[in-house]
Amino acid sequence: MSSLPVPFALRCRRIRIGEKSNDPASIAAGARIGTEQGADIIKMRLTRKPEDIQVIQSAKKPVIALGGPKADDMLEYFMFIQHCIEVGAKGVAIGRNIVQNEDPADFVAGLKKIIHLNGTAEEAYQVYINHSLT
């Protein structure tokens, strides 16, 4: 048997007519299902709501937050990343917002400020706009 971790990514869609797929309780149910199916890591979308903590608690495994759609406002995006870490996500899975950024290295430096150095979104934004890799 392999000792590689089993990741689990689930897209939560409407379960019943009128039920919103952006509802933290629905997303939390998906995270719980992933854990029940044997996932070691859960990659889920977070909603930017305080109730996102339900997703983290329901997973009972490390949660990696999806990076979301292409961001135009970098400060707002850093605020989203700060929210993800504050509610308990262990990291973020970001693709297009890095590779399509004008300054990907500076953007990653801003992310590092939040994720690894416990900085704020405002501090991360300053790193990004000042082109400082510290």
Side-chain angles (χ1 to χ4, degrees):
M1 179 170 232
S2 174
S3 63
L4 292 175
V6 176
F8 184 84
L10 176 73
R11 288 194 158 238
C12 295
R13 303 207 185 261
R14 288 185 198 179
I15 297 169
R16 292 184 295 263
I17 294 176
E19 188 171 318
K20 296 180 179 166
S21 64
N22 200 36
D23 174 45
S26 297
I27 298 169
R32 180 186 51 79
I33 290 167
T35 300
E36 291 172 355
Q37 293 297 311
D40 297 308
I41 301 167
I42 306 293
K43 182 173 81 169
M44 297 294 291
R45 178 170 50 93
L46 297 180
T47 66
R48 301 181 189 221
K49 298 175 186 171
E51 296 83 12
D52 283 338
I53 197 163
Q54 295 174 3
V55 176
I56 307 303
Q57 293 171 340
S58 294
K60 295 185 171 67
K61 297 288 181 173
V63 173
I64 306 298
L66 291 172
K70 180 73 172 95
D72 295 320
D73 182 333
M74 290 296 107
L75 177 57
E76 184 177 317
Y77 191 77
F78 286 132
M79 290 170 68
F80 168 65
I81 300 304
Q82 182 179 348
H83 164 78
C84 292
I85 299 303
E86 285 176 347
V87 298
K90 298 300 181 193
V92 289
I94 303 173
R96 79 187 95 208
N97 282 305
I98 294 174
V99 299
Q100 294 178 2
N101 192 289
E102 304 173 351
D103 301 304
D106 298 324
F107 182 68
V108 170
L111 294 171
K112 175 185 173 186
K113 186 73 172 175
I114 296 170
I115 298 167
H116 297 290
L117 303 175
N118 298 317
T120 66
E122 292 78 14
E123 291 169 335
Y125 184 69
Q126 288 303 312
V127 169
Y128 174 70
I129 62 171
N130 290 329
H131 304 282
S132 170
L133 294 175
T134 58

